Amino acid sequence: IDVKLEFARRLTGGVIIEVQEDIHAKIAQRSGARAVMPVAFSDEKETSETIPDQELIAIICDAVALPVFAKIQVGHTMQAKIAEHFGVSFIDESDNVDDGEAGGAECMDKTKFETPFCSGVKNLGDIVNAIVKGAALVRLYTDDQKLKAAIINKLKKGVIFEVGNEEHALIAQRAGARAVVPVADSGDSVKRMPDPKTVKAIFDAVAIPTIGRVRVGHIIEAQIMEKAGADIIDESEMYGKDVKRVKLCIDKSKLYGPCFFTAFNLGEVAKAIRTGASAIRITAEDPNGSNGNAVQIVQIRNQIIKQLKKLQDLVEKKSKLNPADPANKNKIKEVDYDIGEIVGDYKKEKDFMIKLAVAGKITLPVFASNFVATPADVALIMQHGFDGVFVTEEVFENHMSSLRYANALVHAVAKYDDPVALAQISEDLGRNAYGGGGKRKRRKRRAGGGDKSDKAETKPIQASGPITILD
């Protein structure tokens, strides 16, 4: 076991790269990887790894001088013997591979093998079991939801830009955008997902995450967007806003990456949590089709907070326990609540709404979108506790000032509580940043239809005494 442990210690401080071909293994070796791990995926179910082909393992062992891992199913002694026969350096007894047999098997005794083993673990008990069974190293499985949350955390305190093409995406990246959202250019009242070709081109053009926007409940559009290169999915109510609210939502646990979900009340926030969303996006719509006001987004968020406070008070009243007290957390969950007056149509979300009441806050990151068009809008949103903002592609309509405009929006996030800095940031951003745009024309006042008033000389007003400035 000491020899196996010493061999395993050589991997510390390095990277083990999964590969599917011998050329991948050679690239990994040139890149400085400590080891490679051949992997395979089922054609029918790509989310589940399968046992790598024996021929593939042999080819990769011959192709590189690095240690080679071989994945096997937990407790499958015969697979371990075959892997050892091919001369692999490590055997990875993994519970995330599937060869068609029932899972849940007991891990094998690794002391009977000469090859060191790696065991997948999720908790302290698994680590103890791995040590007892003779594992030389362990691999900690990352919780899928936590991994998705970590990706969303990278977007916090930043601006996400809607873009129409690669040029816009590159401008957004130069300006300091955290991510970009390719949008469909459609004159229809009901917009659909963007062209996958456009999404792929934008994905290839920039190094920041690409967000694919799809209609609510449309799992096929989400799958297409992921295949086109979208790192994140945005299940957006803005797409299909002219039709009745769709109750069927995408099961986000089936997606590779994190997913945004549009919410406009507490029930929708609970639905986002129930369906596996990693963040929510609060958006406002103007029925008159005007430019709107970012204050509307703040009002929606405040309304959600009021609904949450009302639910907290109801939970406290019915359980006679304070939800804010951590000692009451488990006791509150055991109480049977009749909160139909708040739940309404969101009966499936009842338990998740109770959890929100216990937490006393919206437990997912909250982003704002729609009507956020100026540095002042961005600052307003950030001052009210949002985690980030989406801005529309109107930023790029004026090509000459689009980079400056985009950069100003990004800087407004950091300077949201500094009016002096915001005033400087907001200067000379082009006509799209202001209501009328361009230089203000001096209006000519005509009296009685004559022209004399146009040429009349105006004298400055002389102050007769101290000037009082009213706050």
Side-chain angles (χ1 to χ4, degrees):
I1 188 63
D2 290 338
V3 175
K4 292 178 181 178
L5 288 173
E6 181 59 34
F7 197 25
R9 288 192 185 100
R10 297 178 186 177
L11 304 179
T12 59
V15 178
I16 302 167
I17 300 180
E18 293 184 349
V19 296
Q20 288 184 286
E21 300 177 18
D22 56 338
I23 185 64
H24 296 166
K26 291 178 180 178
I27 293 171
Q29 181 173 257
R30 289 182 60 188
S31 301
R34 293 291 175 87
V36 292
M37 183 183 295
V39 294
F41 293 91
S42 168
D43 293 335
E44 298 179 357
K45 189 179 180 183
E46 293 195 7
T47 55
S48 177
E49 295 176 10
T50 61
I51 304 301
D53 183 78
Q54 298 172 12
E55 183 179 357
L56 174 64
I57 295 175
I59 291 173
I60 291 177
C61 284
D62 293 338
V64 296
L66 295 174
V68 177
F69 280 68
K71 280 190 175 183
I72 66 167
Q73 195 177 31
V74 173
H76 211 306
T77 306
M78 184 55 65
Q79 289 177 356
K81 289 181 178 179
I82 293 173
E84 193 170 51
H85 171 74
F86 277 98
V88 297
S89 308
F90 290 90
I91 297 174
D92 180 26
E93 191 179 22
S94 173
D95 69 355
N96 65 335
V97 295
D98 179 18
D99 65 353
E101 299 180 7
E106 182 71 20
C107 62
M108 69 185 74
D109 182 2
K110 301 155 186 68
T111 59
K112 298 180 179 180
F113 293 84
E114 294 182 2
T115 306
F117 269 71
C118 174
S119 289
V121 298
K122 294 181 179 178
N123 52 49
L124 183 60
D126 290 345
I127 295 175
V128 172
N129 190 37
I131 294 172
V132 171
K133 294 298 178 95
L137 68 157
V138 295
R139 178 156 60 92
L140 179 64
Y141 291 124
T142 304
D143 181 80
D144 187 52
Q145 196 60 28
K146 289 182 179 179
L147 183 60
K148 292 179 178 179
I151 296 172
I152 293 295
N153 285 340
K154 298 284 187 180
L155 308 182
K156 285 184 176 182
K157 307 300 180 186
V159 180
I160 300 169
F161 287 86
E162 294 181 357
V163 297
N165 52 50
E166 304 99 294
E167 182 183 1
H168 294 170
L170 288 168
I171 292 172
Q173 181 174 256
R174 285 185 61 191
R178 295 294 173 88
V180 290
V181 187
V183 292
D185 183 14
S186 172
D188 299 336
S189 60
V190 179
K191 294 184 179 180
R192 296 173 177 83
M193 69 175 187
D195 186 342
K197 184 177 180 180
T198 301
V199 175
K200 187 178 186 304
I202 291 173
F203 173 81
D204 292 338
V206 297
I208 55 180
T210 303
I211 301 176
R213 185 166 289 170
V214 304
R215 287 173 289 176
V216 173
H218 211 312
I219 181 65
I220 302 302
E221 284 190 350
Q223 291 171 344
I224 291 173
M225 285 293 95
E226 287 197 323
K227 290 298 181 183
D231 305 288
I232 303 166
I233 297 297
D234 178 20
E235 189 179 11
S236 172
E237 185 62 12
M238 287 178 65
Y239 277 48
K241 64 182 180 181
D242 294 332
V243 298
K244 189 177 180 181
R245 177 80 183 184
V246 179
K247 292 185 178 180
L248 178 64
C249 297
I250 297 172
D251 181 359
K252 287 87 172 166
S253 64
K254 296 181 180 180
L255 300 176
Y256 289 107
C259 184
F260 281 90
F261 185 74
T262 308
F264 57 87
N265 59 35
L266 186 61
E268 293 297 319
V269 173
K271 182 186 286 187
I273 297 172
R274 179 179 66 82
T275 56
S278 300
I280 64 173
R281 184 165 64 87
I282 296 179
T283 185
E285 296 176 3
D286 187 355
N288 298 323
S290 63
N291 293 331
N293 191 336
V295 174
Q296 293 174 252
I297 305 171
V298 175
Q299 289 175 338
I300 294 174
R301 180 183 179 277
N302 291 345
Q303 186 62 34
I304 294 174
I305 298 299
K306 286 180 181 179
Q307 291 173 340
L308 182 57
K309 183 64 171 65
K310 183 178 179 181
L311 180 59
Q312 275 188 303
D313 294 341
L314 187 60
V315 168
E316 184 175 359
K317 180 180 177 181
K318 290 183 178 291
S319 66
K320 298 181 180 179
L321 295 170
N322 181 10
D325 187 351
N328 297 330
K329 185 176 181 180
N330 293 326
K331 296 178 183 178
I332 289 174
K333 291 179 181 179
E334 297 172 359
V335 179
D336 185 21
Y337 298 98
D338 180 15
I339 56 173
E341 56 186 284
I342 294 181
V343 172
D345 295 332
Y346 299 96
K347 292 179 174 58
K348 291 183 179 180
E349 283 73 38
K350 176 182 175 181
D351 292 340
F352 295 92
M353 293 174 79
I354 296 296
K355 291 179 180 179
L356 285 169
V358 173
K361 62 180 180 179
I362 301 174
T363 54
L364 294 177
V366 182
F367 289 72
S369 70
N370 210 7
F371 305 160
V372 182
T374 68
D377 291 339
V378 172
L380 177 72
I381 292 298
M382 299 308 295
Q383 282 186 13
H384 283 83
F386 284 81
D387 293 293
V389 296
F390 286 73
V391 297
T392 67
E393 60 175 333
E394 293 176 4
V395 172
F396 306 103
E397 288 183 2
N398 187 347
H399 177 74
M400 296 302 293
S401 61
S402 57
L403 178 58
R404 178 180 172 81
Y405 192 171
N407 192 257
L409 295 173
V410 171
H411 278 79
V413 173
K415 302 292 185 180
Y416 71 88
D417 57 350
D418 186 347
V420 175
L422 289 172
Q424 295 174 343
I425 290 170
S426 301
E427 293 178 354
D428 299 325
L429 297 182
R431 65 182 182 85
N432 291 336
Y434 313 109
K439 296 182 179 180
R440 183 182 295 178
K441 294 181 179 179
R442 185 170 61 90
R443 293 184 179 180
K444 296 181 179 181
R445 180 176 298 177
R446 298 179 181 271
D451 294 331
K452 290 183 178 181
S453 58
D454 295 343
K455 300 178 181 178
E457 184 179 350
T458 57
K459 297 180 180 181
I461 299 173
Q462 300 294 329
S464 58
I467 299 175
T468 302
I469 298 176
L470 300 181
D471 187 358

